[in-house]
Amino acid sequence: MSNELPLSKEQIMDTAEQVLRRFGPDKTSVLDVARALQVSHGTLYRHFSSKAALREAVTERWLTRSIAAPLADIANGTDGSYTERLKLWLKTLIGCKRTYASEDPEMFAMYAAVTEAAAEIIEAHIDHLIGQIHTIFEGGIRAGEFKALEPKEASRAIFLAFLHFHHPAHFRQWTNERIDADFDAVWQLILDGIAAPSK
């Protein structure tokens, strides 16, 4: 090995993500990442205690950058009504997952694996996303668009109602010809339940 200069966690994760995309999560080892960085695998273990810890860190960062950040722009935005924003948020979440499943299969596979193995990371990610729905929902209540339901519970229920459309366990069904019609049906049902009565 020829490069034993100090490495940051970000440098390691950048390289790990590249290597994971090249070989896939199942075939990538800590040694592969160390080789790409031209360091000993012991150098990586100073930052990450195991291959699983490295994979989880890469996945957590990917979820934040690729999923949570674009959705935050919608949740905190001002374009359109709160109803329109909530629908756009849901469709963007689903669209991101579909896109990554087909165009970035290695990272999506790692995300699916971490979903099963690292409950704490996924729970934190889910809580963050539900928090974004909560932001939209509270705004909709204040604007008189949504019923004055308990916003935390309502936001969680909305997220769970659309799980079929974005949870990686269901990704093989996302190409079903009925998937968009099914989304529209669930959306209408949810909207009927949360929309404030017309004055």
Side-chain angles (χ1 to χ4, degrees):
M1 300 295 172
S2 60
N3 177 24
E4 290 296 342
L5 294 172
L7 289 171
S8 69
K9 282 192 171 185
E10 284 295 313
Q11 288 173 302
I12 294 169
M13 286 192 286
D14 287 343
T15 301
E17 195 168 316
Q18 294 168 14
V19 174
L20 283 158
R21 282 196 170 97
R22 192 179 318 148
F23 300 118
D26 293 333
K27 295 181 180 177
T28 298
S29 68
V30 171
L31 194 56
D32 293 324
V33 178
R35 280 195 195 108
L37 286 163
Q38 297 184 318
V39 298
S40 67
H41 63 278
T43 301
L44 301 193
Y45 285 124
R46 292 188 200 118
H47 295 277
F48 299 98
S49 60
S50 64
K51 175 183 174 181
L54 177 57
R55 281 171 49 149
E56 288 166 15
V58 171
T59 303
E60 186 174 24
R61 188 180 71 160
W62 178 79
L63 286 170
T64 300
R65 289 180 175 177
S66 304
I67 307 294
L71 294 173
D73 291 340
I74 298 169
N76 299 319
T78 56
D79 292 341
S81 68
Y82 287 98
T83 302
E84 291 167 339
R85 220 175 299 165
L86 178 58
K87 187 175 185 181
L88 177 61
W89 189 96
L90 290 162
K91 290 185 81 69
T92 301
L93 170 64
I94 292 162
C96 285
K97 296 287 184 76
R98 286 191 199 177
T99 298
Y100 290 123
S102 62
E103 296 180 12
D104 197 358
E106 291 80 13
M107 287 303 295
F108 189 81
M110 191 166 70
Y111 157 57
V114 168
T115 297
E116 296 178 4
E120 287 184 13
I121 288 173
I122 299 304
E123 281 300 317
H125 174 65
I126 289 171
D127 287 346
H128 186 70
L129 296 186
I130 291 172
Q132 292 181 356
I133 296 176
H134 183 264
T135 297
I136 299 170
F137 197 82
E138 276 197 321
I141 292 173
R142 288 194 302 272
E145 290 183 41
F146 300 145
K147 293 175 183 174
L149 303 169
E150 204 295 305
K152 286 185 179 178
E153 293 302 317
S155 299
R156 186 170 185 83
I158 291 166
F159 181 83
L160 294 174
F162 290 90
L163 212 56
H164 172 80
F165 302 98
H166 60 80
H167 192 286
H170 302 285
F171 86 97
R172 295 190 188 282
Q173 295 157 4
W174 297 346
T175 55
N176 186 294
E177 61 183 17
R178 274 203 54 84
I179 196 74
D180 292 331
D182 287 345
F183 172 88
D184 290 339
V186 176
W187 166 253
Q188 191 58 54
L189 192 65
I190 293 296
L191 186 59
D192 290 346
I194 66 174
S198 301
K199 294 180 181 178

